[in-house]
Amino acid sequence: MKRFLFLASLLSAGFLFLSCKPLKPEGQGITGTVTWIEGNQMPMITESGKAAPKTTPKPVKRTIRIYPLTKFSDLKMEDGLFTAIASKPITEVESDKQGKYSIQLSPGRYSVFIVEENGLFANIFDGEGNVQPVTVKENEWTLLDVEVNYKAVY
């Protein structure tokens, strides 16, 4: 009898768990992680003949700056960073020590830049000349992980 009651309660709990909807944060925007990688990233073989271990990108604390959708032609670049942008930023947020960030935005298309000491970093471009484009849809969070790699060699 105890066994039957145990199985019945286990099944009931299972049905309750399966009927629950996952927690979905309200609003919409962009969320992700910022990581840093530098140095030689070329595949190498050690003296023992084995492949050298790959460098793992490290999470970093950075400021993420959001601009209206920006074309490459509206930017000035020096030493791998953007130093001038024709438009003004919409907003910005700082990632935590684990590189995690979230920023609420209205639905629309945006360009995302990472603030570095000597300029702004972005390394993704679409076929229309837009820099680090991201689309935010109503009631959806868009995942955008950024690997800051302008000091890496591939």
Side-chain angles (χ1 to χ4, degrees):
M1 184 65 169
K2 286 182 182 180
R3 201 172 182 176
F4 175 75
L5 289 174
F6 174 75
L7 287 173
S9 61
L10 189 61
L11 283 172
S12 297
F15 284 121
L16 284 173
F17 179 74
L18 290 174
S19 66
C20 293
K21 293 183 180 180
L23 176 64
K24 185 177 177 185
E26 289 190 26
Q28 64 270 327
I30 305 168
T31 188
T33 304
V34 180
T35 55
W36 170 266
I37 193 164
E38 65 182 313
N40 186 358
Q41 304 304 310
M42 295 293 289
M44 295 187 291
I45 304 294
T46 62
E47 289 181 14
S48 66
K50 295 185 178 188
K54 286 187 162 188
T55 305
T56 303
K58 307 257 186 288
V60 289
K61 189 173 187 176
R62 289 290 193 277
T63 300
I64 299 93
R65 195 168 287 164
I66 311 299
Y67 284 83
L69 188 61
T70 305
K71 295 221 178 269
F72 187 78
S73 58
D74 294 331
L75 304 168
K76 181 180 175 189
M77 182 181 245
E78 291 179 24
D79 299 324
L81 295 174
F82 297 105
T83 56
I85 298 180
S87 60
K88 298 209 181 299
I90 295 171
T91 189
E92 64 184 34
V93 68
E94 194 165 306
S95 62
D96 64 17
K97 291 179 185 176
Q98 289 77 39
K100 304 277 185 200
Y101 74 94
S102 289
I103 187 164
Q104 285 203 341
L105 293 164
S106 298
R109 294 193 71 204
Y110 302 93
S111 286
V112 178
F113 294 87
I114 307 300
V115 178
E116 292 292 306
E117 189 174 324
N118 296 317
L120 300 171
F121 174 81
N123 67 346
I124 295 176
F125 309 92
D126 67 11
E128 298 171 5
N130 297 311
V131 180
Q132 195 84 45
V134 64
T135 301
V136 174
K137 296 179 181 176
E138 191 169 343
N139 296 319
E140 288 186 25
W141 285 90
T142 303
L143 177 64
L144 179 66
D145 293 331
V146 180
E147 184 176 275
V148 181
N149 62 1
Y150 65 96
K151 289 193 175 181
V153 179
Y154 294 92

